[in-house]
Amino acid sequence: MRRDYPAGHIVAMHRHDRDQLVYCASGIMQVETSGRLWMAPPQRALWIPAGEDHWMQTMGPVSLCTLYLRPDTRPAGFPDVPQAIEVTALLRELILSAAGISADYDETGRDGRLLALLLEEIAWAPDRALPVPQGRDRRLDRICRAIVAEPGDNRSLEEWALQVGASTRTLARLFQAELGQSFHAWRAMVRAQAALPRLAAGDPVTVIAGDLGYETPGAFSTMFRRFMGRSPSRYFAG
């Protein structure tokens, strides 16, 4: 299925009885699953297993391709948790072609063979997961929500500790225990995600870097490349 959505369109929390592949042929979609935030640009698709609660919001105009696949057709070893998948040129064409296939397709015909190849390509595609985990502790959750809303906030962990009424040591321990990483690493991940719609819109890297709290474009580019595998100036090129 392929549909176009305007900027700011929200699909409320829901679930499906089939596995779902979410792919933005153009534009960027933000998706939340199991307390994790994902950005889905055209370079990545998001695999959402059947029964997984999720909601979605467009970060600009989006041309969305959605595939629904029966769980019993899932290849062995396929993830039963949400996962971001790198979209190669071949996988992109397979997704675009499969988006027009009806639910009652002939499994032994061309459509069935196309979907079988698509599933095989997904199974071989590199995992490019970059979910932003959200905290469960109320103090941690308060910090996470504030930084997601304003990624350029440069307050230190010590300053946040005073803000939420916890010690710096407690917050550092919570970041590791609940989010699996340090405060600085988590904030950098949020900033990498936040840069995607700005880059897609053509904003200058120098402006994005400053808005996200970096003193130099070079420091921002180093961080972005570490998470995304490409420099910000080349991420949406070609």
Side-chain angles (χ1 to χ4, degrees), residues 19-31:
D19 293 338
Q20 181 181 17
L21 186 71
V22 176
Y23 175 64
C24 296
S26 64
I28 298 176
M29 182 79 78
Q30 177 178 285
V31 183

Side-chain angles (χ1 to χ4, degrees), residues 56-230:
M56 304 186 293
Q57 179 177 2
T58 59
M59 307 302 290
V62 164
S63 181
L64 182 68
C65 293
T66 307
L67 306 183
Y68 298 98
L69 304 163
R70 296 198 318 270
D72 62 350
T73 65
R74 187 190 304 173
F78 238 46
D80 57 2
V81 294
Q83 177 172 306
I85 299 166
E86 182 175 316
V87 176
T88 63
L90 174 58
L91 183 54
R92 173 183 167 84
E93 294 306 316
L94 289 171
I95 293 172
L96 295 179
S97 296
I101 295 177
S102 63
D104 58 347
Y105 66 91
D106 179 4
E107 295 186 16
T108 63
R110 175 186 177 277
D111 290 346
R113 292 192 296 273
L114 188 150
L115 287 174
L117 178 57
L118 183 146
L119 288 170
E120 186 173 340
E121 282 299 304
I122 292 175
W124 280 97
D127 177 4
R128 293 299 186 188
L130 190 64
V132 176
Q134 303 294 290
R136 296 184 300 275
D137 181 274
R138 61 176 179 78
R139 296 161 296 182
L140 194 60
D141 180 65
R142 182 178 170 187
I143 296 171
C144 290
R145 291 183 182 278
I147 293 176
V148 168
E150 185 52 63
D153 191 324
N154 261 336
R155 276 179 283 184
S156 66
L157 192 59
E158 290 76 14
E159 290 173 304
W160 278 114
L162 292 173
Q163 187 77 25
V164 301
S167 70
T168 302
R169 180 176 296 180
T170 294
L171 289 181
R173 185 170 60 249
L174 285 170
F175 267 96
Q176 289 291 347
E178 294 195 13
L179 307 182
Q181 55 200 305
S182 70
F183 164 71
H184 293 288
W186 182 88
R187 185 171 63 184
M189 182 182 293
V190 172
R191 289 173 170 178
Q193 293 271 30
L196 290 176
R198 300 280 303 275
L199 291 168
D203 290 359
V205 171
T206 52
V207 175
I208 298 173
D211 289 347
L212 292 179
Y214 289 91
E215 293 185 359
T216 67
F220 164 70
S221 295
T222 297
M223 176 280 297
F224 187 89
R225 188 182 298 109
R226 183 169 71 250
F227 285 109
M228 298 298 187
R230 297 185 194 176

Side-chain angles (χ1 to χ4, degrees), residues 32-65:
E32 181 173 349
T33 67
S34 302
R36 291 174 178 264
L37 286 175
W38 309 73
M39 285 287 187
Q43 289 78 8
R44 294 202 304 270
L46 183 60
W47 174 266
I48 304 176
E52 179 75 26
D53 290 330
H54 59 285
W55 67 266
M56 304 186 293
Q57 179 177 2
T58 59
M59 307 302 290
V62 164
S63 181
L64 182 68
C65 293

